[in-house]
Every structure is written in structure tokens, then in C-alpha cells.
Amino acid sequence: RTAEAIARFGYGPNDTGSSASQMAILSVRIQALRDHLNANPRDKHNKRNLILMVNKRRRHMKYLRRTDYEKYREVMVGLGLH
């Protein structure tokens, strides 16, 4: 699923560093971790990791919105975040 996200939102097939790719990768990881935490609600360590990933994605979103608004809108609609 990560490779699909990179192919869909990245600037190239090997683009893993751009903010758009990072947002997509983090969204895939957040979704997987959210599913895990629903099955294992007492897993406090991974709950902390989920919070850290959400905040990192939020910072990437803020940067992308400031620098390339069109790409930001495309990624937000594609990920279903907005």
C-alpha cells in the first residue's frame, strides 16, 4: 500500500522524500496503526507512536499548503482528509 501511495502522490516512482509522498506514507502507516490499536486498546507505546505520526503528517501538510497549494489540495482529496 505504501508503494501505491508513493506512485499516486509522489513526483516519481522512487520519490519518498517529498512532503506529498511523506503525507501519503504516513497516512498508510497511521491507518494500519489505528486498526492495530482498535484491536489492542491497551497498547500505550504504539498509541504514542500514532500521536507522533499524526503530528508529523500535520507538519508536512502545513508545509505543503504553504509551498504548493495545488498539490496540497490534490493530496488532501486523494487521501480523504479534507
Side-chain angles (χ1 to χ4, degrees):
R1 292 173 23 177
T2 303
E4 294 171 7
I6 292 170
R8 185 170 176 198
F9 299 109
Y11 292 102
N14 296 323
D15 176 26
T16 58
S18 69
S19 290
S21 295
Q22 288 293 316
M23 283 173 56
I25 292 167
L26 285 167
S27 294
V28 169
R29 291 181 61 198
I30 287 168
Q31 187 176 21
L33 195 54
R34 190 176 53 219
D35 294 341
H36 168 76
L37 288 173
N38 285 336
N40 303 287
R42 293 174 61 186
D43 190 352
K44 303 301 182 196
H45 179 76
N46 280 323
K47 184 175 182 180
R48 178 181 185 273
N49 286 336
L50 176 67
I51 293 168
L52 292 175
M53 279 193 275
V54 168
N55 287 328
K56 187 178 284 191
R57 182 179 67 182
R58 184 178 48 82
R59 288 192 307 268
H60 280 289
M61 289 166 50
K62 187 176 179 181
Y63 171 78
L64 191 60
R65 182 177 59 225
R66 188 175 67 237
T67 58
D68 187 0
Y69 190 75
E70 293 301 319
K71 187 69 170 178
Y72 166 78
R73 292 295 303 158
E74 175 189 335
V75 173
M76 292 297 283
V77 170
L79 292 175
L81 296 175
H82 200 270

